[in-house]
């Protein structure tokens, strides 16, 4: 079985055009229940996501969002 953290690279950058005001990252538990929503904006253009298994962190990824000037 492929691990979810394999789909996201550490320090991955997502290029966005100027028409995007913000990005929401929805954090969910293994059963799909929403835990938290994080808003990423041009003023706060990064986020750290973690993958865990019942409270034990298995991996984390730093994500950067780059808005076109």
């Amino acid at each position: 079985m492929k691990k979810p953290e394999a789909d996201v690279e550490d320090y991955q950058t997502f290029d966005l055009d100027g028409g995007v005001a913000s990005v929401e990252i929805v954090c969910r538990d293994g059963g799909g229940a929403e835990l938290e929503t994080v808003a990423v904006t041009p003023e706060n253009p990064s986020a750290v996501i973690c993958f865990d298994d019942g409270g034990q962190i298995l991996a984390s990824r730093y994500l950067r969002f780059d808005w076109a000037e």
Side-chain angles (χ1 to χ4, degrees):
M1 183 173 139
K2 186 169 99 174
K3 296 180 181 180
E5 61 268 23
D7 292 336
V8 182
E9 296 178 21
D10 202 17
Y11 297 99
Q12 186 168 347
T13 298
F14 297 90
D15 294 319
L16 304 168
D17 65 41
V20 177
S22 66
V23 173
E24 287 188 342
I25 299 173
V26 180
C27 305
R28 299 184 182 278
D29 68 13
E34 186 174 327
L35 299 172
E36 176 184 24
T37 299
V38 177
V40 182
T41 64
E43 294 79 25
N44 185 21
S46 63
V48 175
I49 59 173
C50 295
F51 301 90
D52 72 62
D53 182 20
Q56 179 181 353
I57 295 177
L58 303 173
S60 64
R61 300 290 186 266
Y62 177 85
L63 307 179
R64 172 127 171 82
F65 296 81
D66 189 18
W67 271 264
E69 295 294 319

